[in-house]
Amino acid sequence: MNANVIEILSAEELRRTVTRLASQIVERSNDLSELVLIGIYTRGVPFAHLLASQIELLEQIQVPVGALDITFYRDDLDKMGMRTPAKTEMPFDLTGKEMMLVDDVIFKGRTIRAALDAIADYGRPSLIRLAVLVDRGHREVPIHPDFIGKTLPTAKEEQVKVYFNEVDDRDGVELIKVI
């Protein structure tokens, strides 16, 4: 099987996209002192940290970042096979917070649905918003991001691969078409 790889965002374009999204989050935030970012493993976590760093550069305020593993909240565990869960890190109570759920790619919406179920175990935020780097469509549940880095219509059989320096030693986004 051959694959055709198309660069969607270069490292520089990814940096600009993060800057734009951080600015939009700041603009729409009711109170930055109550804002927390929760990244969904795996690549939502470094994405959340990049957004938090950019918000700090823009506003000189540190936004707390948590990391959420949704493995046991998924409705497709039987299709995924064995998977070792990551460690959820929630170093703060979510109750009353303005929470930004962060993920790299939204596709069917099931990951976000599972994340919303998991969040209930950590408190009751006053507001939950969703930021994604890439929205590729094909929803199976009625979930729509509040902040989108790039809307990328795809075929169901295509893949979107996000690379973050912290995990992959490079930054960028690629579309992979199996030929």
Side-chain angles (χ1 to χ4, degrees), residues 38 46 51 53 66 72 75 77 84 90 105 116-117 133 157 168:
I38 308 296
L51 288 170
S53 295
F72 296 119
D75 62 4
L77 278 175
T84 303
M90 207 67 61
V105 178
L116 291 169
D117 288 347
L133 184 59
E157 63 275 2
D168 309 294

Side-chain angles (χ1 to χ4, degrees), residues 65-177:
V65 178
L68 184 65
D69 180 81
I70 58 147
T71 301
F72 296 119
Y73 296 89
R74 298 188 65 97
D75 62 4
D76 61 353
L77 278 175
D78 58 328
K79 296 175 188 168
M80 291 181 54
M82 288 298 291
R83 178 177 168 168
T84 303
K87 184 176 181 347
T88 292
E89 297 174 19
M90 207 67 61
F92 40 76
D93 182 12
L94 292 178
T95 302
K97 297 292 184 185
E98 184 176 326
M99 192 189 97
M100 183 68 57
L101 195 56
V102 179
D103 205 7
D104 59 341
V105 178
I106 186 168
F107 181 35
K108 297 176 182 178
R110 293 190 176 281
T111 296
I112 304 305
R113 187 218 40 87
L116 291 169
D117 288 347
I119 289 301
D121 291 345
Y122 297 95
R124 188 177 186 280
S126 64
L127 174 69
I128 301 175
R129 289 195 171 122
L130 174 61
V132 299
L133 184 59
V134 178
D135 181 351
R136 58 175 293 199
H138 303 285
R139 284 313 172 276
E140 293 178 357
V141 293
I143 292 175
H144 184 75
D146 300 283
F147 303 94
I148 302 169
K150 176 102 176 151
T151 301
L152 182 66
T154 62
K156 285 187 177 184
E157 63 275 2
E158 294 173 328
Q159 296 178 350
V160 174
K161 182 72 176 153
V162 174
Y163 302 97
F164 288 116
N165 200 41
E166 296 80 359
V167 178
D168 309 294
D169 295 323
R170 69 180 176 121
D171 289 328
V173 177
E174 296 175 341
L175 175 67
I176 302 168
K177 297 181 177 189

